[in-house]
Every structure is written in structure tokens, then in C-alpha cells.
């Protein structure tokens, strides 16, 4: 559990000058946008405004995820569908004095004119207008404030709730010389101090509505109790609420009295559990000869399907790419890969996601040496010669095996080090090129990702089935030489390789299952190579299950013998999903949405893959795993 001093220290560490400058610049742009189109925002202008609200600078790069899922994705779509209500509310907020806010703000929040906006949207309008006076607000931030300053919890839904909250936040920031542009960072750190696990867009978690007026004079109803933020195992979709364009608020107009006989609002939506979204891509084969003309149509189908999926399981925080990003591992192909990923990440940005990328190399992501290269010949004796294996993993390796492997994979590792989307913070590199471990903290969930090079023996074009290896020493090298302890720092751990276990030599496969991927260690083992998507969960003797998620190739062409000679089958697919902590944080749920391209009379379309999976009505399947984190 954090203490108050830790909260302050961590907040100051996170609020570096570049981050504050990025937020200040975005807010200045948002202010100009509002003033230039006050009451006349079109949909493009509103979406641009929401993007500016979410502007941030993290890990050395500009991102648009300041409020995580707040004001993006489905929330942004709900606001865009209620444009009349937005254009009625924004001018009132822009000109409001304290008396107007005390009289109207809570009513505006409870009304239907800003669906998806929560407390965050109106408070960000006020924050843009005067950052020193008005901080961003969600109910999670309000509870974080109480945890830090020791004051009573603030019910934002009371008439002066937001004004009281703002005054206490200003006092707290002044006492500790923290920029008003970092108030949300401080308050979310405080929410962790209070044991909160709500997402940062928890503005949809609001106070209970006030009790209806009694028919006869009676003592005043007690102040509504602050609800307990219950953790639910599933993501709760917000019910669509239509815009109420007729309810235009002004400084001189009091909201109409409530009709006591009218239906009461539904109970507030509980805070969502700690969760993060992901995409699994594999086997793009950028640069595959004679196929460049096919890719634009595949990408269009992919973009269309991502839009459909985003409202179901987005936003996405990570893209896990399990190898064969290129066809021949050349620098030219990696440059072309950057152009492809740039289009993909621009699409993510349009949808409201800003994911980071984690990759492992495949057997096509290397400069293949000649068959008679002496190192190739030596490594072909891998499984028969334990002294060779020890030499390669020896700390010195004076014979140069690892140096030669580093040369073979150099274009890949150079690309990783320069790729602007790739995670490089909190990363530990291993002994072999492409081996890496990442320790990430996202939305209240601690995630460990292990990527291991399974292609370091597949150095030629020969058949390597049951000839490969993933050595346990690769795992320990990226985990501070003690993998069990490193893994216990996280709620969930993932393993990424390019090859499936079936491609390992029988003895190497046995070592892999016992020493690298024992049942219950990883929430999922992601891999590709086979171009078909499958999922298996295997348990023995009533013990934990081992979960394997084989990805469908993003761009796969398989040659085979057909009636008219050699024929080609096109295979295109991917998967998406979410990891969610369950109540008590002892278990987590893994939900997977497998996708595949199908051909029909209407053309090609990527959709749920019912050919290889039993899916629920959402087009997904799910399983639960024990969490690994130890106090």
C-alpha cells in the first residue's frame, strides 16, 4: 500500500517538464478551438477537442491517452451523437460563475445532454478555460483527494460539490508546489492510496441520485451516501442516452423542478475492474515477393474490422507481434514495415487508442547466412552437444556464437531500437537478440511480458520442425537471473515466441514445458508461425492449465497442390482481447476475440472466426487464471 509521501514523490517523478509543456500546449490549442467555435462545434471539431484533452507526453513520446479510456472510444462516440447537447452546454460552462456552477453543474451531469462525458468532460471545459482554478474531476479523483489531504470524501453531485473539490485541490497543489496541469496524476496516485481500482474514466461512477421530494413537508432527506465502488468481473457497457437539445442551459435559467412521479435514474454504473486491451498480430511478411498489390485491400478490411471491434473490446493498450514481421529481414523491408505500421497507428488514433508495441523475431526476421557458414554448421549440433549449448550461454562466449547471432538479427534489433511505437522503457534485454522482458503498470494492472527468440537455430530455409529450442537460460537472463521472483511482481505474465512448442526438439520441448512454461505460470503463451489461429488449454491431474494462443497470420499465403496444379490459399486474421482483474485480485479473466478473413459473394470481410473457435454472442471466448503477484 502506498503512503502519502510515496504519492507525492511518484507524482513529482512523473511530472517532468516535457510532460507539463505538452499538456499546456494542448490546452492552449483546446482553448482556441472552443473560443473559435463556441456553441458551433461540428463532429470533427468535437473529436479534435477530445483528442487535445487527452494529449500527454509519456516515455519520451507524445501520446493521446491522458485519461486512458476517458473521452475516447465509445465515450467519444456518445458525445458526438449528442452534438446539440454539447453545443448547448459548452457556452454555459465557458461563461459560468460560481453561482451558476452551484445551481446547474450537478444537474447538467445528471442530465442526458452529455452522454459519455461523465464529470470529466464538463470539468475539462472548465479546466481549459482556467487551469489554475478548475481541475479535471472524476469520482475516482475525488476519492484520491480525500486519501491524500485527509479531508472528508466529496460528493461531486452536491450543488457545491465540484467547487469544494476545486478549492481543496488548489490548496493541495499549492502546499506541495505541483503544477495544476498535473492534478490528475496526483489524484490518481491518491486513488491507489485509497485502494481504488477504477479506470481513469470512472466519471461514469456517480453519486446516488437525490431522493424524490416527499408529498408533504418533512425533515430534509439525508445527504445521499457515497456508493461503494464495486468491482465487476465484466465490462459494463453504458446504455445509450439520446441528446436533449431542448434543455439549453443559461446563467439566468433554473433547471425545471423534477417530477416526483417520473421514473428514477437507474443505479449508477459500478467502476470497471482493472483491465487493459490488447491486439495479437503475427506473420505479416512485409516484402513478400509479388504480393504488394494484395495488401491495400487486406488493410482496408482490417481497418473496417478494427472499427467494429473497438467499441466491443477497445481501447487497446498493447499490440503483441509474434514474429515474421518481414519476409527476408532486410533493412529495406523494415523501413517499409514502418510505413505500414504508421498507417495502422493512425487508424488506432482515429479510433481513440494509442497502443504500444512489443515484438519478438521470427525465422523471416533475420539475414540468413549461407548453409555452409561455420556457425550454422556448428549450431546444427545444438541438441547433440551440451558443451555447445553451455558455450553459447556462457557469460564470456569467447568463441563468438552470440556475436554472430547478433549480426544475423542486427536489422531486426536496430529496427526495434528505432521504432517509435515499440516499448523500450522498463525493458531488460537478454543474451540472445530479441530476448526481452517488460514490466508494465497499466490501469491498475501490473503486467509482465516475456519475449524469447525461438528462431535463433532456424538460420536457413530447411525444414526445422522439431529441431528448434527455447532454453530456460533465455528466460532467467531477462528476469534478473531469477524468473519466479520477477514474475511474482505482476498480476499477469505473458510469454511471446514466434514458434509453437511443437516445433521444438522433443527434449527441448520437455524442458520448455517444465522450466519455461509450466502450467499456471503465464496467463497466455502467444505465438504464430503456423498461419492458422487456434487456442488450447491443457491441464493435468486437476492442476493449473497451460494456455496457448496461436495467432492467425496477418498476411499468409500457403502454396499447395490443387486440381490445376500449384494453388495458393490466402490466410488473413488476428485477435483482440482484454485482461481483467476479478474481485479480490486473486484471479484474472482473459477474453479473446479471434478474427479471420472470409470470402463470400459480397467480397472479402474480416469477422469473428467461427471456423476454429466456439464463441459466445459477443464473438469471444474467455478463461480465468490465478494471478501471480505476491505482496
Amino acid at each position: 500500500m502506498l503512503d502519502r509521501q510515496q504519492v507525492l514523490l511518484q507524482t513529482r517523478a512523473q511530472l517532468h517538464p516535457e510532460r507539463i509543456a505538452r499538456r499546456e500546449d494542448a490546452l492552449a490549442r483546446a482553448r482556441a478551438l472552443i473560443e473559435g467555435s463556441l456553441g458551433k462545434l461540428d463532429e470533427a471539431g468535437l473529436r479534435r477537442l477530445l483528442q487535445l484533452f487527452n494529449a500527454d507526453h509519456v516515455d519520451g513520446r507524445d501520446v493521446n491517452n491522458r485519461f486512458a479510456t476517458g473521452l475516447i472510444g465509445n465515450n467519444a462516440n456518445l458525445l458526438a451523437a449528442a452534438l446539440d447537447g454539447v453545443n448547448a452546454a459548452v457556452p454555459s460552462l465557458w461563461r459560468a460563475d460560481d453561482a451558476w456552477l452551484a445551481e446547474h453543474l450537478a444537474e447538467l451531469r445528471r442530465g442526458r445532454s452529455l452522454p459519455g462525458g461523465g464529470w470529466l468532460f464538463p470539468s475539462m471545459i472548465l479546466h481549459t478555460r482556467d487551469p489554475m482554478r478548475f481541475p479535471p474531476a472524476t469520482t475516482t479523483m475525488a476519492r484520491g483527494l480525500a486519501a491524500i489531504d485527509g479531508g472528508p470524501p466529496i460528493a461531486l453531485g452536491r450543488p457545491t460539490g465540484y467547487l469544494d473539490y476545486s478549492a481543496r485541490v488548489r490548496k493541495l497543489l499549492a502546499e506541495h508546489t505541483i503544477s495544476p496541469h498535473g492534478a490528475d496524476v496526483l489524484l490518481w496516485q491518491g486513488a491507489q492510496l485509497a485502494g481504488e481500482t477504477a479506470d481513469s474514466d470512472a466519471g461514469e461512477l456517480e453519486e446516488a441520485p437525490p431522493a424524490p421530494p416527499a408529498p408533504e413537508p418533512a425533515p430534509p432527506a439525508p445527504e445521499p451516501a457515497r456508493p461503494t465502488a464495486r468491482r465487476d468481473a465484466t465490462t459494463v457497457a453504458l446504455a445509450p442516452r439520446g441528446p436533449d437539445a431542448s434543455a439549453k442551459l443559461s446563467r439566468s435559467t433554473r433547471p425545471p423542478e423534477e417530477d416526483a412521479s417520473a421514473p428514477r435514474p437507474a443505479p449508477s454504473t459500478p467502476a470497471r475492474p482493472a483491465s487493459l486491451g490488447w491486439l495479437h498480430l503475427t506473420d505479416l511478411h512485409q516484402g513478400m515477393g509479388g504480393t504488394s498489390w494484395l495488401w491495400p485491400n487486406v488493410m482496408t478490411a482490417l481497418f473496417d474490422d478494427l472499427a467494429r471491434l473497438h467499441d466491443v473490446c477497445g481501447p487497446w493498450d498493447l499490440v503483441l507481434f509474434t514474429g515474421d514481421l518481414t519476409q527476408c529481414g532486410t533493412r529495406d523491408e523494415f523501413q517499409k514495415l514502418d510505413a505500414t505500421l504508421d498507417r495502422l497507428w493512425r487508424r488506432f488514433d482515429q479510433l481513440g487508442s494509442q497502443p504500444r508495441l512489443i515484438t519478438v523475431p521470427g525465422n523471416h526476421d533475420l539475414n540468413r547466412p549461407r548453409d555452409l557458414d561455420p556457425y550454422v554448421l556448428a549450431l546444427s549440433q545444438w541438441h547433440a552437444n551440451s558443451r555447445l549449448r553451455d558455450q553459447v550461454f556462457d557469460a564470456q562466449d569467447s568463441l563468438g556464437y552470440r556475436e554472430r547471432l547478433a549480426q544475423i538479427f542486427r536489422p531486426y534489433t536496430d529496427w526495434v531500437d528505432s521504432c517509435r511505437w515499440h516499448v523500450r522503457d522498463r525493458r531488460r534485454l537478454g543474451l540472445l537478440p530479441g530476448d526481452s522482458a517488460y514490466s508494465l503498470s497499466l490501469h491498475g494492472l501490473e503486467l509482465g511480458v516475456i519475449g524469447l527468440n525461438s528462431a535463433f537455430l532456424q538460420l536457413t530455409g530447411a525444414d526445422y520442425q522439431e529441431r528448434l529450442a527455447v532454453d530456460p537460460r533465455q528466460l532467467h537472463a531477462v528476469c534478473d537471473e531469477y524468473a519466479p521472483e520477477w514474475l511474482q511482481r505482476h498480476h499477469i505474465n505473458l510469454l511471446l515466441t514466434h514458434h509453437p512448442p511443437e516445433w521444438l526438439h522433443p527434449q527441448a520441448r520437455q524442458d520448455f514445458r517444465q522450466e519455461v512454461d509450466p502450467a499456471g505460470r503465464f496467463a497466455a503463451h502467444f505465438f504464430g508461425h503456423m498461419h492458422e489461429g487456434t487456442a488450447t488449454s491443457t491441464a493435468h491431474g486437476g492442476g493449473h492449465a497451460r494456455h496457448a494462443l496461436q495467432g492467425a497470420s496477418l498476411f499468409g499465403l500457403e502454396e499447395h497442390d490443387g486440381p490445376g496444379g500449384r494453388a495458393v490459399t490466402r490466410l488473413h486474421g488476428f485477435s483482440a482481447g482484454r485482461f481483467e482483474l476479478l474481485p479480490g485480485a486473486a484471479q484474472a479473466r482473459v477474453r479473446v476475440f479471434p478474427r479471420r478473413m472470409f470470402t463470400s459473394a459480397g467480397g472479402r470481410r474480416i469477422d469473428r472466426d467461427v471456423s476454429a473457435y466456439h464463441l459466445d454472442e459477443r464473438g469471444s471466448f474467455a478463461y480465468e487464471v490465478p494471478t501471480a503477484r505476491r505482496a
Side-chain angles (χ1 to χ4, degrees):
M1 178 67 71
L2 298 175
D3 60 30
R4 288 174 176 79
Q5 192 61 31
Q6 282 181 299
V7 166
L8 294 167
L9 289 173
Q10 290 186 16
T11 299
R12 291 193 182 97
Q14 293 180 34
L15 293 176
H16 46 81
E18 295 86 354
R19 191 175 194 184
I20 296 298
R22 162 75 166 161
R23 291 179 170 206
E24 288 177 339
D25 178 71
L27 223 58
R29 294 171 185 267
R31 190 175 304 114
L33 176 59
I34 292 173
E35 291 176 343
S37 54
L38 196 61
K40 300 180 292 184
L41 278 169
D42 58 15
E43 181 176 344
L46 174 60
R47 291 188 182 276
R48 175 59 178 158
L49 180 65
L50 300 180
Q51 186 180 53
L52 291 169
F53 284 170
N54 271 292
D56 209 348
H57 186 88
V58 180
D59 299 330
R61 69 190 190 104
D62 290 343
V63 296
N64 290 316
N65 59 1
R66 174 177 177 177
F67 298 110
T69 55
L71 306 182
I72 63 175
N74 189 52
N75 290 337
N77 292 337
L78 290 171
L79 279 168
L83 199 57
D84 288 343
V86 170
N87 279 320
V90 170
S92 297
L93 291 165
W94 202 248
R95 305 185 183 102
D97 57 16
D98 285 2
W100 188 96
L101 291 174
E103 188 172 350
H104 296 296
L105 184 58
E107 183 66 25
L108 176 65
R109 171 63 187 88
R110 286 194 296 268
R112 298 182 177 181
S113 58
L114 300 175
W119 285 106
L120 197 51
F121 181 75
S123 66
M124 279 303 293
I125 296 294
L126 294 169
H127 181 62
T128 303
R129 171 186 151 192
D130 189 345
M132 304 297 292
R133 179 168 173 73
F134 299 116
T138 70
T139 51
T140 300
M141 291 186 208
R143 286 193 286 276
L145 171 64
I148 297 173
D149 73 1
I154 288 180
L156 293 174
R158 296 181 59 195
T160 62
Y162 177 73
L163 294 173
D164 295 340
Y165 165 87
S166 298
R168 280 172 56 180
V169 171
R170 290 196 301 271
K171 180 181 178 182
L172 184 65
L173 297 176
E175 286 177 353
H176 299 285
T177 61
I178 292 174
S179 167
H181 297 284
D184 51 306
V185 176
L186 173 64
L187 298 175
W188 281 331
Q189 292 285 342
Q192 293 185 41
L193 173 64
E196 293 290 337
T197 59
D199 282 348
S200 53
D201 63 334
E204 289 305 319
L205 176 62
E206 60 179 312
E207 292 75 25
E216 296 180 3
E223 179 185 322
R226 179 171 64 87
T228 300
R230 174 173 69 86
R231 297 178 189 167
D232 198 322
T234 58
T235 299
V236 181
L238 298 178
R241 297 179 288 180
D244 186 2
S246 62
K248 295 183 181 286
L249 298 171
S250 70
R251 297 177 63 182
S252 60
T253 303
R254 179 182 295 273
E257 294 293 326
E258 272 195 319
D259 180 2
S261 64
R264 305 302 301 167
S268 59
T269 303
R272 295 190 297 183
S275 72
L276 65 89
W278 52 267
L279 291 171
H280 178 204
L281 309 180
T282 191
D283 294 85
L284 171 60
H285 295 281
Q286 181 79 52
M288 184 186 296
T291 63
S292 60
W293 61 275
L294 297 172
W295 178 241
N297 288 335
V298 173
M299 180 166 273
T300 298
L302 172 66
F303 284 3
D304 290 345
D305 194 52
L306 289 174
R308 289 188 292 270
L309 263 183
H310 197 270
D311 288 340
V312 179
C313 66
W316 300 304
D317 302 283
L318 288 174
V319 175
L320 309 172
F321 211 130
T322 53
D324 281 1
L325 296 90
T326 65
Q327 181 65 11
C328 297
T330 65
R331 295 188 184 277
D332 179 65
E333 287 180 350
F334 281 109
Q335 289 177 358
K336 292 176 180 177
L337 174 65
D338 274 337
T340 297
L341 295 182
D342 182 67
R343 291 189 181 93
L344 182 58
W345 254 258
R346 279 188 276 128
R347 182 56 168 165
F348 289 147
D349 188 64
Q350 292 169 356
L351 296 173
S353 284
Q354 286 285 329
R356 307 288 302 281
L357 176 65
I358 294 178
T359 67
V360 290
N363 55 289
H364 284 273
D365 297 319
L366 54 95
N367 275 328
R368 286 182 177 171
R370 297 178 182 275
D371 292 356
L372 296 180
D373 182 298
Y375 285 96
V376 172
L377 293 176
L379 291 174
S380 68
Q381 303 302 309
W382 183 267
H383 303 289
N385 193 328
S386 62
R387 292 177 61 198
L388 170 66
R389 299 195 296 271
D390 292 342
Q391 177 64 43
V392 171
F393 290 113
D394 182 83
Q396 302 300 321
D397 184 25
S398 59
L399 297 180
Y401 288 100
R402 291 207 307 271
E403 182 181 350
R404 181 68 177 118
L405 288 172
Q407 293 172 354
I408 291 170
F409 284 92
R410 183 83 66 199
Y412 167 79
T413 55
D414 285 350
W415 171 79
V416 169
D417 288 340
S418 65
C419 176
R420 65 181 183 273
W421 305 285
H422 208 288
V423 179
R424 288 188 293 276
D425 54 305
R426 304 192 70 181
R427 175 184 68 163
R428 182 179 175 87
L429 300 179
L431 294 173
L432 299 185
D435 286 352
S436 52
Y438 306 84
S439 187
L440 307 175
S441 181
L442 297 165
H443 314 313
L445 194 150
E446 302 296 324
L447 178 71
V449 183
I450 302 290
L452 299 180
N453 186 342
S454 63
F456 71 95
L457 293 179
Q458 191 171 353
L459 302 179
T460 72
D463 181 4
Y464 279 81
Q465 188 164 2
E466 294 198 325
R467 295 172 57 189
L468 303 180
V470 174
D471 195 281
R473 285 167 285 195
Q474 293 177 252
L475 172 67
H476 291 295
V478 297
C479 294
D480 302 327
E481 301 301 337
Y482 200 87
E485 184 178 89
W486 187 92
L487 294 164
Q488 288 175 6
R489 300 173 190 170
H490 312 100
H491 295 112
I492 290 175
N493 293 287
L494 310 178
L495 175 62
L496 312 183
T497 65
H498 176 63
H499 295 87
E502 289 72 23
W503 274 64
L504 306 183
H505 181 277
Q507 182 59 52
R509 183 164 62 245
Q510 180 177 327
D511 293 343
F512 175 80
R513 286 176 171 162
Q514 292 178 350
E515 304 296 336
V516 176
D517 185 26
R521 171 171 282 180
F522 294 102
H525 174 200
F526 290 89
F527 53 88
H529 188 66
M530 300 304 292
H531 292 194
E532 292 280 357
T534 63
T536 59
S537 295
T538 307
H540 298 279
H544 291 306
R546 182 184 291 109
H547 302 282
L549 299 178
Q550 178 174 294
S553 61
L554 190 57
F555 194 88
L557 299 179
E558 295 285 352
E559 291 190 359
H560 57 86
D561 291 324
R566 297 295 287 171
V568 175
T569 298
R570 296 178 58 177
L571 303 168
H572 308 292
F574 68 100
S575 61
R578 295 198 74 81
F579 304 121
E580 294 178 350
L581 283 185
L582 299 183
Q587 294 280 118
R589 173 174 291 123
V590 181
R591 183 169 295 279
V592 184
F593 295 77
R595 316 295 284 184
R596 178 171 179 162
M597 179 175 281
F598 295 93
T599 303
S600 66
R604 291 189 173 92
R605 171 187 171 94
I606 297 178
D607 208 330
R608 59 184 65 184
D609 187 357
V610 295
S611 66
Y613 302 88
H614 295 287
L615 304 180
D616 58 24
E617 67 279 358
R618 299 169 62 185
S620 68
F621 67 90
Y623 59 88
E624 295 179 6
V625 296
T627 55
R629 193 174 189 185
R630 301 291 183 267

